[in-house]
Amino acid sequence: MARPKKLLDAATKNLTIEEKEAKLEEEKALYNYERINFKNYPTALLKQAKKEWDRIAKILGELPLSELDQQTLIRYCNYSYLYAQATADLTLEGSVIEGRANPLVNIMNSYSKELKAATSELGLTINSRLRITTPKSEAIDDDPFAKMFGDANA
């Protein structure tokens, strides 16, 4: 099975100039698709999941998500709501009912698996974001330790 592709910024392999240019061309194609329109709620989105839709719209930033990813995002929002609801119900009912495990525990596990899959596909987990891009290190302008040890950049 082939490894998942990484964006150029996240790649650690030493690439030739030609390979870098080819990879950049591939990445440009990610942004050729229509971006998700968060102003309108999709019909498949549960009414109670609209709050999560609005929340996630604010934090997605520059991830290359398009209308093609809409169904995965709907699935994420719906399962996020359903998981929260099951958690609230389990808190009220308890994890054991009449000496047996509450069926909500199994339901929560199922929702959790669905959430994990959707978050990974959308780049919402740390590991999946690292496959998309590497975090930019912020330069410290006035680093006293760098000056003390004679760093030319300080």
Side-chain angles (χ1 to χ4, degrees):
M1 185 162 104
R3 291 183 181 187
K5 287 191 171 196
K6 291 184 178 182
L7 293 180
L8 184 61
D9 288 344
T12 55
K13 179 183 173 188
N14 290 326
L15 301 173
T16 65
I17 294 172
E18 293 82 19
E19 288 173 324
K20 286 180 183 178
E21 288 173 355
K23 205 151 182 64
L24 271 174
E25 286 301 314
E26 287 177 14
E27 288 178 20
K28 284 181 185 176
L30 291 174
Y31 296 95
N32 288 342
Y33 299 101
E34 185 179 341
R35 303 264 310 158
I36 293 178
N37 180 3
F38 286 102
K39 291 178 175 62
N40 299 322
Y41 297 116
T43 55
L45 188 68
L46 296 173
K47 181 181 175 185
Q48 301 88 337
K50 291 178 180 180
K51 184 176 179 181
E52 182 62 15
W53 179 267
D54 293 335
R55 185 191 76 82
I56 201 73
K58 295 175 186 173
I59 61 175
L60 281 176
E62 294 302 314
L63 291 177
L65 297 178
S66 70
E67 285 291 330
L68 297 172
D69 302 304
Q70 186 182 47
Q71 291 303 312
T72 305
L73 192 56
I74 291 168
R75 195 174 80 226
Y76 163 78
C77 292
N78 285 345
Y79 276 111
S80 180
Y81 160 72
L82 292 170
Y83 183 84
Q85 186 62 47
T87 302
D89 293 347
L90 186 67
T91 302
L92 291 174
E93 295 177 18
S95 59
V96 177
I97 299 176
E98 299 174 3
R100 294 175 35 188
N102 190 329
L104 284 171
V105 173
N106 291 334
I107 291 170
M108 286 179 59
N109 285 335
S110 173
Y111 293 164
S112 178
K113 288 175 186 174
E114 290 293 331
L115 272 171
K116 183 177 179 181
T119 55
S120 183
E121 289 172 23
L122 292 168
L124 302 179
T125 64
I126 291 173
N127 288 335
S128 62
R129 278 194 310 275
L130 285 174
R131 279 183 277 154
I132 295 171
T133 183
T134 54
K136 305 289 184 212
S137 60
E138 295 180 20
I140 300 173
D141 294 333
D142 198 22
D143 185 358
F145 291 108
K147 287 180 184 175
M148 187 168 55
F149 291 108
D151 186 352
N153 295 330

